[in-house]
Structures are given as structure tokens and as C-alpha cells.
Amino acid sequence: MATELLEAAALTCLICDTPNRTGASICESCSAPLSLVLAATDREPRIVSVIGDSNVGKTVFLGFLLDMLAQRANNFEAIPKGAYSLDLPQTVISHMAYRMFPPKTPMESHHWNWAYYQVTKRSKHPKWVDLVMPDMAGEAIAAELASPSTFRVIERLIHRSAGLLLLVDAALAGNGSTQPDFFALKMLSYIDAMFSSKRRQKIDMPIAVVLTKADYFPEAFDNPERFIGANLSRFAHMCASRCNNLAFFASSVVGALGYATSENEDTATPIPLHTSLRGVMEPFEWMVAQL
Amino acid sequence: MLKGLFARGRAALDASALFGRAAAEVGALPPATTDPVTEALRTERLGLILGKRAEWADLPNYEQAFATAVRAVDERFAFVPEGTVSLALTTYDEPGQPEVDCETEPFLLARHTVTNEEFQRFVDSRAYEQPELWPEEVWPHLIDFKDISGAHGPRYWSQGRHDRRLARHPVVGICYYEAAAYAQWAGFRLPSEAQWQMAASWRIRSAAHTYRRYPWGDGMEFDRCNIWLSGHGQTLPVDACPRGAAPNGALQLVGNVWEWTHSDFHAADREGRMVFGNSVMKSIRGGAFDTYFAWQATAAFRTGLESLARVHNVGFRCAMKLLAH
């Protein structure tokens, strides 16, 4: 009897289903915060994962997205479930407002910021969706791609995700780097291996491919799909052959970038001189419509 | 027909503008003439008419054209009195940061930013093919100053034409050099950032000697301007938000589109290191419809943009010296 009570009180991790001892704050298996479980009271939350390479802009994108939702952008209404859900937007906004980029997301998953929001588009018959959106470290994602199951939390998160926002660096790709193409290709290959066991079976999960830093290449805004075809051709071919539910977007957050440097320095510090948001809400809006 | 327009003075100019607008909508302006005064009036190069007084004074139709241009400039430009502005020298905005004080002379500033239909006249006059309008260092880039169809014109136009629905919206998708070339073509110039700040902060020499945070006062009011929080999500016509006008009637100094100035952008970061762009940066001012932070859309906020950037949220307005009596 006592054991049953203890089990009933134990919290099952929302991400990896591991039962955790009472009083634990993070999952002992995957390090996801157990406060997510406490927040999930009304309906089963849908996980939307923002994934992409290191420095692609995941933290800034997600931080502004959450802040815009909190300000009812595009007729959305979003209720943060728990104060921890506001940590990420607060960090991003407080840095960007002072023309600084936020610090890099740490590798260790117990240091990541998580956001749990109840979201709806305001209408006559609003449909509420519970969304869990973690801010994952790009290095951790890369490590998981290189050696699957290294970061169990990432593996479980993607497996549990109802949709993915896959961020790709348009500035790098447009300047001829093959890194964004190969990273996105690896990411899609990883997802493909996870969800589709047969060659004819495609990935059904909605995936929004978002070109970040697209202000460097205005043509990315004109036609994101064409830009991807021209600059990330390997990834574009795999998208066409393996994805059933895919959409392409372009976004930018920084209106102008300066670099601070002095004569004695070899490196330059990027300074976001002002903030001009473009294309941040659209992929999210599409994603919510798919859920 | 144009001779008749001169005789009718200001009404003539309005009619000319209307005719030009209507003609632009069907794809062409009235045919060009060889008479420079008539041609300048037809294309509404008002500053050019005023500036050529010594050169054109003997032309038979000049005095009437001059009078028409004076009236039009009086209507379209606002007087900015002399004053002092304090320009921040750093990229961080905190009390006590280094500033430099600049004195500004009185001048005239356009009441609104240049519209698509106004810029259309510049494009239609084949200004992109007139080397005297462009500094030599930018000649290699002229082939890049194309619209989405590959014709000369702003980045977001097509076939050298603007979207008719946006005729009265500010022209965007133009780099600093296109803005400066237009101003020169029309006989004006771009304001310096000190002049722009003077117009927006209205720090005139007076007993108080205070400045405004916004052209209308010290408090942000989202319905007086078009920034992200105003919720429009796109540019508005240049005469929108009349309640946000500066005391002299200049509209939208804050919001709608950033505005190119002719000043280079120089600033230092918190550690005193100079901030550079990948190429020469020009100062842009005022914030735009997608400016997220209200404090980045104030009279004093300084930022820059690479001079060749042709983006969706930067336009410009013209300035000119006071007319000599």
C-alpha cells in the first residue's frame, strides 16, 4: 500500500516517461524539468522542438517568438504555465534590448530553458493547444546526431514532438558554406531514421524549415523554397523525397549587425544594432494549424 | 498644356501632380520635353527649379515656375529652427554615456518620406543611367540596383514600376546611394543625423532647452506612430498617424520606416571598441513598422546600416537649405 502511494505521488517525466522520486525537480533519466508534468493538467501537451545547428539563432528566435505570443501577436493568445516559461524570453529580450546577444545555451540539459504555454488563435471557437518548447543547445544536438542516444533528452524530445521548427542559417548558406546544408541533411536523416522504417514511408510530422538571418539575402524572403534549392541542394532533395508535411519560411530578428573590435584584437564581437522582426510568427502559425 | 498650367500657379502644380499620378498608374508619365524648366516642373524636381535661379532666370517660363515651386516647397516642407542636439557616441543607452553636442542651423525638412509614386518619376527619368547622380565608387554596384524583375528600381518593385496599391507608401528597398541620388536629382539633399534628430527632438534654443523623446512629446503612444507594437505589421501611407507629427507638421519621424541620413555611422561599444560594419555604414533614424523595442524608435536613438543595403523597412526624406530672399 505504502509503495503504491509513493508511486502515485511519483512524477512521470513528460519527455521520457521515466517515473521519478517525489520531490525531484528534474528527471533523473533525461534531465527535463518535472515542473512540466505539474503544468500539464488540462490536456496532453504537444511538444514543438526548435532544432538547428549551433549559432543558427535558436535561442533568439524562440525567445522572441514567446515574447511576441505573450503580446498577442497575430491574434494569438498565450498563457505561460509557470514562471520558468518566462525565463527564456526574459533573457533574450533583456540582452537584445541592450544590443547584446544572449549567452550561448549550455550543453547540459538541466541548464536549458523550457517553456510551457497554452496557446490559441483568437476566434469564435478557439482551440487551445498546450505547447512545450525547450531551448536546446546546438552543440548537444550535434553530439546527438554524431552519436545517437548520447543525449537521451534530445532523442526523446524529437520522438515525442508533434512538430519541428528546423532552423537553417541563411547567411552562412548564401555565402557558400556547405555546413548548413550538411547539418540540415544530417538532422533530417536522423528524423527519418527515427520515424520511417521503410523506404516508401515518409515523415508525416509537420516540419517548418526556417531560414534564419535571412536579412542578409532578401531573396530568401521572396521565395524560401527556391533559396533552399539553390543553396542547400542536398537537403532540398531529401526534403522532397522523405517529407510529407513540410513548409519553408524565412526570418530575421536583427535589423543591422555591427562588429566591435580594437587594434589589439583578432576577433570581433557582433553587436545587434537594432531589432527588426520579420517572419518569426509565420512558421509558428503554420505549425499550430498542423497540430 | 503645360504653359497653361504655369498660368494657374499652385493649382497648376497640383493638377500636374494629379496628372502625373494618373499617368503613372497607366504606366507612363506625360512625354518629356526639351525645355528644362517645363521638364523639371513636370517631374516635380522642385529643389532643382529653386536652385537653378541664376542659371535659368532668363528662360521665359522660369519666374512662374519658381513661384510655383516656392509654394509647393512651402506646402511640402517644414521649417526646423536652429538648436542643439546631443548625439550618443556609444551603442549602449545609459545615463552618463558619452555624447557630443552639435549645433544645427535652421533648415527645411520634408513633411513626409519620399513615396513610391514620387520615386517613380526618378526611375522613369532614367536616373539610374545618369552617372553624374552617382559617386564613382558606386558605379560598379549600379547593376545591382534592380527590382525583382531585373529592371532598374527599388528592390521590391517589378518591371520598373511600383505596386499601385502602395503609391502613397514610403519607397523602401533602396540603398543609401539611391536615396542620395534621388535627393540630388530633385535638387535637395538628405538630412544629416544631427538635423534629423533636431527635427524629431525639437530641442530649439529656448528658456527650457529641453528635448522631446518623441516628436509629439515624451511618452510613447502606439497610435501616434507605426512600430511593431502599433500592430499594423507593414508600412502605412506617408500621411498616416497625423497625431504623431512634430510641432512643425513633419510626419512619421518615428516609425513606419527608418530614414537614411547622409552621416556616416560611428559608435563605440561598452568597452570603448569601435563598431564597424562589413562595409561603410550610414546612420539611419526613427525606427520602422517592425521595430520591436519602443526605445529604439525615439528621437535620439542612433543606429546604422550598410550603405548598400536595400531592405524592406528603410526609406528617406529630403532636406534643403532655407530659401534666400
Side-chain angles (χ1 to χ4, degrees), chain A:
Chain A
M1 180 68 182
T3 313
E4 282 172 15
L5 278 175
L6 200 61
E7 282 179 359
L11 293 173
T12 301
C13 175
L14 199 66
I15 309 302
C16 70
D17 297 326
T18 301
N20 285 269
R21 61 182 170 77
T22 311
S25 59
I26 60 169
C27 173
E28 63 186 34
S29 172
C30 75
S31 302
L34 294 171
S35 47
L36 295 171
V37 185
L38 300 172
T41 50
D42 295 346
R43 62 193 75 79
E44 182 164 356
R46 320 293 299 273
I47 296 170
V48 173
S49 295
V50 179
I51 53 178
D53 204 353
S54 181
N55 285 326
V56 75
K58 295 182 294 299
T59 302
V60 170
F61 180 89
L62 188 53
F64 272 105
L65 172 64
L66 296 176
D67 197 54
M68 291 167 88
L69 285 172
Q71 301 200 54
R72 298 190 164 187
N74 290 25
N75 262 334
F76 270 98
E77 190 169 344
I79 302 168
K81 301 291 284 182
Y84 64 87
S85 293
L86 296 165
D87 290 345
L88 176 63
Q90 185 182 10
T91 300
V92 170
I93 296 301
S94 61
H95 279 79
M96 294 294 286
Y98 284 94
R99 307 212 235 192
M100 292 184 294
F101 285 106
K104 280 193 77 64
T105 304
M107 263 303 247
E108 303 79 19
S109 55
H110 59 276
H111 286 145
W112 295 352
N113 282 313
W114 293 72
Y116 189 133
Y117 279 72
Q118 291 186 322
V119 179
T120 189
K121 181 114 178 170
R122 280 184 288 173
S123 64
K124 267 189 181 176
H125 306 288
K127 175 187 148 196
W128 287 88
V129 180
D130 281 30
L131 288 172
V132 173
M133 290 172 282
D135 177 31
M136 294 181 262
E139 285 85 350
I141 297 173
E144 172 64 17
L145 293 187
S147 181
S149 300
T150 306
F151 276 81
R152 186 165 150 71
V153 64
I154 291 177
E155 183 186 34
R156 294 304 305 164
L157 261 171
I158 293 176
H159 192 259
R160 288 289 301 264
S161 288
L164 296 173
L165 297 174
L166 173 53
L167 272 49
V168 180
D169 191 324
L172 265 185
N175 279 321
S177 168
T178 56
Q179 168 67 13
D181 195 7
F182 278 112
F183 189 91
L185 190 63
K186 283 181 184 176
M187 196 77 242
L188 200 54
S189 169
Y190 177 88
I191 297 162
D192 189 41
M194 187 180 281
F195 289 105
S196 47
S197 53
K198 296 173 186 165
R199 190 173 60 81
R200 287 187 183 174
Q201 188 182 344
K202 292 187 176 184
I203 306 165
D204 286 324
M205 181 170 48
I207 300 176
V209 180
V210 185
L211 292 163
T212 57
K213 309 174 193 175
D215 49 311
Y216 281 90
F217 293 95
E219 60 269 31
F221 280 108
D222 299 340
N223 190 332
E225 188 169 4
R226 188 190 296 168
F227 183 89
I228 285 170
N231 297 283
L232 301 112
S233 55
R234 301 168 185 86
F235 173 61
H237 287 303
M238 182 147 181
C239 284
S241 55
R242 303 304 299 150
C243 297
N244 269 336
N245 193 6
L246 193 73
F248 300 96
F249 301 89
S251 76
S252 68
V253 167
V254 176
L257 200 61
Y259 298 91
T261 188
S262 61
E263 285 178 9
N264 328 330
E265 284 178 293
D266 292 334
T267 56
T269 307
I271 309 258
L273 291 174
H274 60 266
T275 300
S276 292
L277 299 181
R278 196 174 180 196
V280 176
M281 284 300 297
E282 287 80 353
F284 178 77
E285 199 161 359
W286 177 84
M287 182 58 70
V288 170
Q290 307 304 308
L291 299 178

Side-chain angles (χ1 to χ4, degrees), chain B residues 13-183:
Chain B
L13 186 86
D14 292 344
S16 166
L18 284 172
F19 179 63
R21 199 174 305 152
E25 286 176 5
V26 297
L29 281 172
T33 69
T34 51
D35 166 24
V37 179
T38 306
E39 181 60 15
L41 200 61
R42 185 187 74 89
T43 50
E44 297 190 28
R45 299 163 72 182
L46 304 173
L48 185 74
I49 296 170
L50 300 178
K52 290 280 190 180
R53 193 164 201 182
E55 203 175 320
W56 289 353
D58 295 336
L59 296 176
N61 52 1
Y62 181 71
E63 281 309 315
Q64 279 182 318
F66 182 84
T68 302
V70 167
R71 280 194 293 272
V73 164
D74 190 40
E75 190 178 279
R76 299 177 193 188
F77 282 68
F79 174 73
V80 182
E82 63 183 353
T84 309
V85 294
S86 300
L87 298 176
L89 294 175
T90 60
T91 56
Y92 60 96
D93 290 72
E94 288 167 7
Q97 66 166 326
E99 294 178 334
V100 60
D101 286 341
C102 298
E103 301 287 317
T104 61
E105 296 295 315
F107 70 103
L108 298 176
L109 184 69
R111 289 185 200 276
H112 61 72
T113 50
V114 171
T115 63
N116 281 305
E117 66 180 356
E118 288 167 341
F119 203 82
Q120 184 75 62
R121 296 187 197 108
F122 174 75
V123 174
D124 290 347
S125 74
R126 296 178 173 271
Y128 283 91
E129 295 159 31
Q130 298 170 28
E132 68 275 14
L133 290 174
W134 308 89
E136 206 170 321
E137 70 266 22
V138 86
W139 288 357
H141 299 283
L142 276 171
I143 54 168
D144 298 325
F145 298 166
K146 300 277 178 69
D147 65 21
I148 53 173
S149 68
H152 277 308
R155 171 74 179 72
Y156 302 99
W157 290 18
S158 181
Q159 308 291 341
R161 316 296 308 168
H162 66 271
D163 183 335
R164 281 191 292 167
R165 292 165 298 184
L166 302 177
R168 293 291 295 161
H169 287 235
V171 62
V172 293
I174 38 98
C175 70
Y176 161 77
Y177 297 102
E178 290 165 284
Y182 174 94

